[in-house]
Amino acid sequence: MLQLYPVFSDHALFQCASTLTLRGITDPGAVLEADILACERSVAHGQADADADGTFALTLDTPAGSFDVYEIKVTAGTESVTLSDIQFGELWIASGQSNMEMGNWHQPEYYKMANDIIGTGIRVYSIAYHKDGADQEKFSITPEDDTPGSWLVADGKCNWGGVSACATAFVYDLAKKFRALGKNVPVGYLNVSWGGTPINGWIPLDVLDADEISHAFMEEQGRYPLEEKWNTYGGGNFQQPAAMYNRKIAPIRGLKARGVIWYQGENEVGVEWSHRIYANALRVFHRHYTELFAADPASFPMISSLIYPWVYGNDGECMRAYVNEAFVETAKESPDKFIICPVDDLPPVWAANLDNHPIHPAHKYRLGSRMAKLALANVYGQTGQRAPATLDSYEISGKRMILKFADVGCGLYVRDGHVDGLYIAGEDKLYLPAECEILSADTMAVWHPYLEQPVHAAYDISSFACGANLWAGEYPVAPFATDIQSRELIRLESMPFTNPDLVSVWETRMNPSQVPLEVYYFPIWKALPESEVCQDNAFVEITEGYAHSIRISGNRNPIGAYVSATEYHKLNMQKYSAIELDLYHRGKVTGYLEFVYAMENGVQTTVQRPITESEGAPYTFQRYTADLTNLPDGRISQLRFVFSVKDNQALYYVNIAKIVLKP
């Protein structure tokens, strides 16, 4: 009997200029020999003895990368196995949860990609989710060797729809670059991911058990994997510590790889102490995978996508910030091991055939290409920025905070209007939308006009908003929060209507039974009856850096628009003393704000506050103010902006260029 485990099969792509350890089973104590054959000539030879249980591990030195086709022949006594159509090139591990797992068929550009990859020589090993006939909810507590899988070749004969879209784009871009450089080396990846899995599911039990923090976390979660508790979680068995390692990673042992691309962390977002746990878990993960798979132990990068916005918490909680900070922390600590890949600027494109968006945006080809760009700069010696900018230090200077960044490439800049997602707070930790000024390539100042003593700043940490537009060089700036180490959860009173450059935000709509439906994008501004509202780039307060203003118009007075409170964007206006508006209009304008309170006992309360004009010439933006002191307590469901325009024209309009909340 002689049998190799499934990953050692026809059409394989193995890591070049490294080692390959063939694993399988034969007769106990059998003597094995193996050769890598080129035109029936051996270019590498090895031998080993099978263990007492018949398992064996036989190591060969692999040749340099090329599109040459080889055979591998293994013999044990009179038996032999020959693997055909074998190549050696650059191999990567693609792992994580559902956003890495998300297949090509969920991408709008799938059919173009399916055509483009033909002839590139790309290969992928796709490992199955379970053994044929096995209980899909049962997992082995020990590492498995024989999980089925197969090698796919980009030759137009197979369907790549079910393998990772992110990883496909990653290797496709590497293949294109290699070809452009005249580097005849094939590339491929190991498709090993599983939706809804925690990071400790991808680490073996003995490694988790030996790590003090991981061990304590498993016990706290009631998931310490004692044998009598194993597989007692029903449909949650796949989330057990080490379950994914045993099912999907253990079967590929013996292979070497250049590195790991990783998209996981959504499962850890809700954990109270996830920052400490996840950063530690990343180190444990990387250390063990380096030992197992590194073609070059001195250079085994883990390129990780940051976590995309999603509803990870309630009441404006910034839960994902803590997992993203773990990625940033490890990357700053060990840039030779950990590389972060920003994602928040990518549009939340969704595939029509995918029901559980928007946690799974279908922009995976753009993400994979960005990961490839980082790999080319860090691993393959190409020019380009090696890492996105991260906050390096900060100081308080009067009413301003001065932020200094590392890895800024050609320098800081803001794309597409006013910077979004930038906040500043005082001792009370009421985070206010911040103004900023870029002082130099790596330094910027942030402030709020009515915050006298700033203490903390934060950028791109909300769980409910995407569209990061603060950049440095080739990449968006990584999220940061100066108070991230605090055990007190950071909260933002997100008021998206204060930025006229924003069009829409995620909202949860309720069905008639008040059960939350899916989260989708809805417009921030809506028109009152007899009015219209839109985003306008004709009348803009250029000096404030906004690309748009909000235009409210109508054929009769009054005209108006409103914004609504949602579960994730509340209108807690009682926390502010005033609201300031910069208005552009023709003629004389009077107006008021109307606060509509949620109904209680069948009664709806409204409160009006007049908008007072400040000094200013007509036909320019003028400052208006409404007093918010002593607003009644209660939940405000709607904020209305109502204006009357005294003008002889048939069309009345007001443009709002800037809104400032005064604490």
Side-chain angles (χ1 to χ4, degrees):
M1 176 184 68
L2 175 59
Q3 180 179 340
L4 294 171
Y5 294 136
V7 71
F8 307 102
S9 54
D10 295 344
H11 315 301
L13 174 73
F14 298 126
Q15 179 63 42
C16 64
S18 182
T19 60
L20 170 66
T21 300
L22 301 168
R23 300 171 58 248
I25 188 166
T26 186
D27 297 323
V31 177
L32 297 105
E33 295 192 48
D35 289 275
I36 298 174
L37 302 172
C39 299
E40 300 185 352
R41 178 178 62 87
S42 177
V43 296
H45 177 80
Q47 64 181 51
D49 296 336
D51 292 338
D53 62 356
T55 59
F56 66 86
L58 192 161
T59 300
L60 297 165
D61 292 328
T62 58
S66 73
F67 283 96
D68 295 342
V69 177
Y70 297 84
E71 291 183 336
I72 297 178
K73 185 175 183 180
V74 184
T75 61
T78 60
E79 291 189 86
S80 66
V81 172
T82 300
L83 309 182
S84 61
D85 187 30
I86 304 300
Q87 289 186 335
F88 296 91
E90 290 295 291
L91 187 63
W92 286 75
I93 298 171
S95 191
Q97 57 185 108
S98 55
N99 274 302
M100 180 61 77
E101 178 186 40
M102 187 176 180
N104 284 294
W105 53 39
H106 293 310
Q107 305 305 303
E109 313 94 331
Y110 168 47
Y111 292 106
K112 182 180 186 304
M113 176 64 80
N115 182 70
D116 289 348
I117 63 175
I118 296 173
T120 59
I122 293 170
R123 300 187 179 195
V124 54
Y125 183 70
S126 184
I127 194 166
Y129 286 82
H130 61 90
K131 301 175 184 177
D132 292 340
D135 186 341
Q136 296 185 41
E137 294 186 352
K138 300 293 185 181
F139 292 82
S140 172
I141 197 171
T142 57
E144 303 177 34
D145 291 309
D146 56 350
T147 306
S150 59
W151 285 93
L152 307 178
V153 181
D155 57 6
K157 298 178 182 178
C158 64
N159 182 0
W160 282 51
V163 297
S164 171
C166 178
T168 299
F170 174 79
V171 294
Y172 174 63
D173 275 32
L174 291 185
K176 283 195 302 181
K177 187 63 176 180
F178 287 175
R179 178 172 294 184
L181 294 170
K183 185 177 181 178
N184 294 316
V185 178
V187 292
Y189 68 93
L190 301 164
N191 190 65
V192 285
S193 51
W194 193 311
T197 52
I199 190 172
N200 66 10
W202 296 95
I203 303 172
L205 287 182
D206 59 338
V207 175
L208 290 170
D209 202 37
D211 180 69
E212 181 179 352
I213 296 176
S214 299
H215 183 105
F217 179 68
M218 289 188 293
E219 288 198 326
E220 179 178 287
Q221 296 297 302
R223 286 292 184 99
Y224 184 72
L226 299 173
E227 191 164 354
E228 60 269 20
K229 295 175 63 176
W230 191 256
N231 282 338
T232 60
Y233 307 102
N237 285 338
F238 75 103
Q239 295 179 324
Q240 296 172 114
M244 290 299 103
Y245 176 86
N246 294 342
R247 175 65 56 85
K248 288 212 161 191
I249 300 300
I252 62 172
R253 288 174 298 173
L255 275 60
K256 296 298 182 183
R258 185 60 65 198
V260 178
I261 58 172
W262 178 253
Y263 197 154
Q264 191 278 333
E266 295 93 335
N267 258 63
E268 273 74 13
V269 167
V271 180
E272 180 184 356
W273 46 318
S274 57
H275 170 255
R276 181 162 64 93
I277 286 300
Y278 201 80
N280 179 74
L282 284 171
R283 299 181 189 103
V284 173
F285 178 101
H286 184 272
R287 186 164 56 245
H288 186 68
Y289 278 58
T290 300
E291 294 172 359
L292 276 184
F293 298 112
D296 178 4
S299 176
F300 188 69
M302 184 175 183
I303 304 175
S304 300
S305 171
L306 297 180
I307 305 302
Y308 202 66
W310 173 240
V311 186
Y312 296 111
N314 297 318
D315 302 323
E317 293 176 0
C318 302
M319 299 297 290
R320 75 181 178 116
Y322 295 88
V323 173
N324 278 342
E325 175 62 18
F327 285 116
V328 172
E329 175 186 313
T330 52
K332 291 168 68 174
E333 169 188 284
S334 303
D336 57 327
K337 299 175 182 176
F338 300 99
I339 302 166
I340 56 173
C341 188
V343 68
D344 281 11
D345 65 300
L346 299 181
V349 179
W350 304 316
N353 60 340
L354 187 64
D355 293 331
N356 55 338
H357 59 277
I359 195 173
H360 300 130
H363 54 221
K364 297 300 182 288
Y365 289 160
R366 293 181 65 175
L367 175 61
S369 293
R370 184 170 287 177
M371 287 181 161
K373 190 176 178 181
L374 288 164
L376 287 165
N378 284 276
V379 180
Y380 297 109
Q382 299 303 299
T383 58
Q385 192 171 332
R386 293 169 61 89
T390 56
L391 181 65
D392 184 56
S393 63
Y394 68 93
E395 63 181 21
I396 298 170
S397 177
K399 294 178 60 174
R400 291 183 163 202
M401 292 187 70
I402 309 300
L403 311 179
K404 189 176 181 64
F405 296 85
D407 300 315
V408 295
C410 62
L412 294 163
Y413 60 100
V414 177
R415 294 180 64 172
D416 304 324
H418 195 267
V419 64
D420 185 37
L422 180 64
Y423 291 86
I424 193 167
E427 286 287 355
D428 59 1
K429 297 191 178 181
L430 176 62
Y431 280 83
L432 303 163
E435 303 294 328
C436 73
E437 178 187 1
I438 295 174
L439 303 177
S440 67
D442 65 353
T443 306
M444 66 185 294
V446 298
W447 71 92
H448 185 278
Y450 296 110
L451 182 61
E452 298 296 326
Q453 294 183 315
V455 176
H456 292 296
Y459 173 68
D460 191 28
I461 67 170
S462 170
S463 293
F464 319 125
C466 59
N469 64 344
L470 177 61
W471 283 58
E474 301 175 43
Y475 300 102
V477 171
F480 65 83
T482 59
D483 194 31
I484 199 73
Q485 301 295 342
S486 171
R487 296 300 290 247
E488 182 181 346
L489 190 66
I490 296 175
R491 297 176 183 271
L492 293 180
E493 293 291 336
S494 179
M495 301 285 183
F497 67 91
T498 62
N499 186 348
D501 287 333
L502 294 181
V503 176
S504 55
V505 291
W506 282 341
E507 293 183 15
T508 298
R509 295 296 173 94
M510 305 291 184
N511 68 13
S513 300
Q514 293 299 300
V515 176
L517 299 175
E518 184 59 276
V519 178
Y520 294 97
Y521 266 91
F522 289 96
I524 297 170
W525 290 87
K526 297 95 174 175
L528 289 171
E530 305 296 327
S531 297
E532 296 177 332
V533 63
C534 66
Q535 199 178 45
D536 187 356
N537 61 1
F539 300 121
V540 178
E541 186 68 273
I542 300 296
T543 59
E544 299 293 346
Y546 292 102
H548 305 87
S549 59
I550 300 301
R551 181 180 178 90
I552 303 169
S553 59
N555 293 321
R556 65 182 65 180
N557 279 322
I559 57 175
Y562 68 95
V563 295
S564 296
T566 69
E567 184 176 359
Y568 308 113
H569 301 284
K570 292 179 170 58
L571 291 171
N572 293 327
M573 307 303 292
Q574 296 90 342
K575 295 187 176 182
Y576 305 95
S577 64
I579 185 170
E580 294 183 345
L581 313 171
D582 282 2
L583 305 182
Y584 180 91
H585 55 85
R586 182 172 52 199
K588 181 70 174 177
V589 168
T590 59
Y592 60 88
L593 300 182
E594 186 170 54
F595 301 87
V596 180
Y597 285 76
M599 292 186 66
E600 292 188 10
N601 302 320
V603 177
Q604 188 168 63
T605 303
T606 62
V607 174
Q608 292 185 359
R609 293 293 172 89
I611 298 173
T612 304
E613 180 183 6
S614 62
E615 294 297 324
Y619 304 106
T620 64
F621 280 95
Q622 301 172 69
R623 178 63 49 88
Y624 288 73
T625 304
D627 181 28
L628 302 184
T629 58
N630 301 315
L631 277 177
D633 292 335
R635 184 167 64 87
I636 298 171
S637 61
Q638 196 176 99
L639 172 57
R640 298 172 180 171
F641 297 76
V642 183
F643 303 97
S644 292
V645 183
K646 294 182 180 180
D647 188 73
N648 294 326
Q649 302 298 321
L651 178 68
Y652 307 109
Y653 71 85
V654 171
N655 278 59
I656 306 175
K658 182 180 180 182
I659 297 177
V660 176
L661 293 170
K662 186 176 181 180

